[in-house]
């Protein structure tokens, strides 16, 4: 008997053993038989260069990343150095310009900001006043009782509907 | 480098820059990785490509690996995500998948009837039959079966990889085996029972 045919017979035996365990309902035995069966299945072997390719790809990525990190550091150091040099060399001029700019902007922005804030405040107060008037007109003991009553009635109606719908679903399930 | 180094130790060394440690990890997991993906893509070249991507992603994310966890769980989680992402973007046409299944069954029938050693040597009958049956069950069941029986992971490990309770894994395994058994029985394999 050739090795292949013997293997085929073993495969069949393992498969039939698992199917028998499965049919008998013995879960653990079926689990073990199935595991045993899978060990007999041939594996797909990756090509011989697979490991080398994976390692090369990882090393390439690492090299690229290191270069990128080095470039980022170099760029940061360069920027900081240029910034420091500029500040050191042009500090008197920059300081003057910054102070002038700040004074110019604040001189125009502050009055505008104050004016808009005042308008917004007045609108807010007006709205508050109107809201207060409406609320005081609506909220009387009789109206509060009416509103609460309507809400309670609505809740009861909703509950009743839910009960009816639930009973219908149960009825369907029983059918 | 010690032969008995654990996966976690190798991962730590690889993170520290050891090429040999990473090479050892790849060597250990190359076949399981390709086989795992192959069960879902049924394309060897594609499985190898995705496995390569998986290894690279693992290398890139070694910093995030928690040595308290089992390396294989983390590794298969990465592989699974890559495979799912690929299958989502490049949906395999249903017809071709069906065709593969049909092809599998036909090959099995021819193999059984002819019982030619040459044919059997070309492709294992059991492999063809099981592959076709696996392709027929629900993907979530297939995933659990492959991780449990092909990769030999435990139920808690599978639960961790798939992000589901261990009880669900157990249920899936039970149902998957039942479905596989039914498919094989319908194909005329259950001769003893």
């Amino acid at each position: 008997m050739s090795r292949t045919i013997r293997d085929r017979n073993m495969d069949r035996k393992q498969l039939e053993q698992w199917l028998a365990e499965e049919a008998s309902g013995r879960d653990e035995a079926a689990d073990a038989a199935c595991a045993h069966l899978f060990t007999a299945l041939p594996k797909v072997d990756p090509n011989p260069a697979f490991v080398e390719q994976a390692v090369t790809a990882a090393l390439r990525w690492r090299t690229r990343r290191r270069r990128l990190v080095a470039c980022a550091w170099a760029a940061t150091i360069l920027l900081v150095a240029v910034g420091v040099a500029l500040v050191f060399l042009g500090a008197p001029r920059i300081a003057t310009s910054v102070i002038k700019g700040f004074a110019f902007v604040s001189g125009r922005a502050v009055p505008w900001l104050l004016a808009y804030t005042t308008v917004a405040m007045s609108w807010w107060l007006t709205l508050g006043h109107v809201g207060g008037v409406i609320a005081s007109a609506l909220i009387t003991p009789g109206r509060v009782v009416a509103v609460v009553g309507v809400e309670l009635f609505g809740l009861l109606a909703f509950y009743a509907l839910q009960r009816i719908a639930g009973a219908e679903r149960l009825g369907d399930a029983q059918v | 480098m010690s032969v008995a180094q654990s996966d976690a130790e190798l991962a730590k060394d690889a993170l520290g820059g050891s090429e040999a440690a990473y090479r050892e990890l790849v060597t250990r997991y190359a076949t399981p990785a390709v086989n795992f993906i192959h069960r879902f893509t049924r394309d060897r070249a594609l499985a190898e490509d995705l496995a390569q991507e998986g290894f690279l992603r693992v290398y890139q994310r070694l910093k995030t690996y928690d040595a308290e966890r089992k390396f294989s769980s983390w590794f298969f989680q990465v592989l699974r995500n890559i495979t799912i992402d690929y299958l989502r973007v490049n949906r395999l046409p249903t017809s071709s998948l069906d065709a593969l299944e049909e092809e599998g069954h036909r090959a099995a029938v021819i193999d059984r009837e002819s019982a030619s050693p040459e044919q059997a040597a070309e492709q294992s009958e059991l492999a063809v039959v099981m592959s076709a049956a696996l392709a027929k069950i629900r993907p979530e069941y297939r995933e659990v079966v492959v991780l449990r029986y092909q990769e030999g992971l435990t139920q808690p490990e599978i639960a961790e990889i798939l992000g589901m309770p261990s009880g669900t894994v157990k249920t899936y395994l039970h149902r998957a085996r039942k479905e596989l058994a039914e498919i094989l029985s319908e194909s005329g394999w259950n001769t003893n029972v």
Side-chain angles (χ1 to χ4, degrees):
Chain A
M1 184 186 282
S2 77
R3 189 180 175 279
T4 311
I5 291 173
R6 190 167 64 241
D7 286 348
R8 280 155 54 84
N9 289 338
M10 279 184 70
D11 288 353
R12 179 182 280 270
K13 198 178 165 187
Q14 282 171 347
L15 179 61
E16 285 172 354
Q17 189 186 346
W18 164 53
L19 291 175
E21 296 288 7
E22 206 65 64
S24 71
R26 289 189 295 269
D27 201 51
E28 283 184 15
D31 184 68
C34 191
H36 190 58
L37 177 70
F38 266 81
T39 57
L41 291 178
K43 301 263 182 190
V44 177
D45 286 320
N47 76 66
F50 183 90
V51 173
E52 202 53 49
Q53 285 168 358
V55 174
T56 308
L59 293 180
R60 270 189 199 149
W61 175 81
R62 190 174 71 179
T63 309
R64 272 202 309 272
R65 192 166 172 273
R66 279 180 179 168
R67 274 188 203 147
L68 199 70
V69 170
C71 284
W73 271 111
T76 308
I77 290 167
L78 190 70
L79 274 174
V80 169
V82 169
V84 167
L86 279 174
V87 168
F88 182 74
L89 294 173
R93 284 182 193 173
I94 291 170
T96 313
S97 304
V98 167
I99 291 166
K100 275 183 183 171
F102 183 73
F104 179 80
V105 169
S106 59
R108 276 158 179 74
V110 171
W112 278 104
L113 190 68
L114 281 172
Y116 278 116
T117 309
T118 312
V119 171
M121 286 280 285
S122 97
W123 272 101
W124 181 253
L125 288 172
T126 309
L127 275 174
H129 183 68
V130 170
V133 169
I134 291 169
S136 64
L138 283 176
I139 300 173
T140 59
R143 279 171 184 160
V144 167
V145 168
V147 168
V148 171
V150 167
E151 281 178 0
L152 277 175
F153 181 75
L155 281 171
L156 277 171
F158 184 69
Y159 178 71
L161 275 173
Q162 287 279 89
R163 288 293 298 251
I164 292 164
E168 275 178 3
R169 274 202 300 273
L170 192 62
D172 289 347
Q174 282 168 341
V175 169
Chain B
M1 187 177 57
S2 167
V3 178
Q5 259 190 310
S6 70
D7 292 343
E9 286 168 341
L10 287 173
K12 192 181 165 193
D13 289 352
L15 183 62
S18 167
E19 184 190 326
Y22 180 65
R23 187 182 295 276
E24 175 61 21
L25 267 181
V26 177
T27 308
R28 281 187 194 179
Y29 282 93
T31 305
V34 172
N35 277 275
F36 175 74
I37 300 171
H38 185 258
R39 282 283 171 214
F40 299 94
T41 59
R42 308 187 67 167
D43 180 332
R44 186 194 168 128
L46 178 60
E48 285 192 6
D49 287 347
L50 290 176
Q52 287 282 355
E53 200 182 321
F55 278 111
L56 184 59
R57 195 174 292 182
V58 160
Y59 188 77
Q60 289 168 342
R61 294 181 185 180
L62 272 176
K63 267 186 191 171
T64 64
Y65 168 59
D66 174 12
E68 298 288 312
R69 287 179 69 187
K70 203 175 171 190
F71 181 81
S72 58
S73 303
W74 181 67
F75 177 74
F76 280 112
Q77 204 166 26
V78 173
L79 279 188
R80 177 178 181 261
N81 290 341
I82 285 175
T83 310
I84 287 175
D85 287 348
Y86 178 85
L87 293 176
R88 266 188 201 144
V89 175
N90 308 284
R91 285 179 180 278
L92 292 176
T94 315
S95 57
S96 72
L97 201 61
D98 290 342
L100 276 169
E101 287 172 23
E102 288 293 320
E103 197 179 300
H105 281 298
R106 206 163 47 241
V109 170
I110 291 165
D111 205 25
R112 278 157 60 186
E113 284 171 354
S114 62
S116 150
E118 290 79 17
Q119 273 186 330
E122 273 179 18
Q123 199 172 20
S124 159
E125 183 179 14
L126 178 66
V128 172
V129 168
M130 286 301 288
S131 185
L134 268 173
K136 279 195 162 185
I137 63 174
R138 284 165 58 178
E140 54 267 39
Y141 289 177
R142 194 185 317 150
E143 205 168 39
V144 172
V145 165
V146 170
L147 288 170
R148 173 79 185 96
Y149 301 119
Q150 186 174 289
E151 306 307 333
L153 300 182
T154 62
Q155 285 178 16
E157 285 166 4
I158 298 169
E160 191 187 342
I161 292 169
L162 304 181
M164 58 172 66
S166 203
T168 310
V169 172
K170 193 176 179 183
T171 309
Y172 276 20
L173 271 176
H174 180 77
R175 288 180 188 163
R177 282 204 323 270
K178 286 278 174 205
E179 279 192 19
L180 281 174
E182 274 173 25
I183 292 166
L184 293 169
S185 298
E186 283 166 10
S187 310
W189 276 84
N190 205 0
T191 53
N192 279 0
V193 184

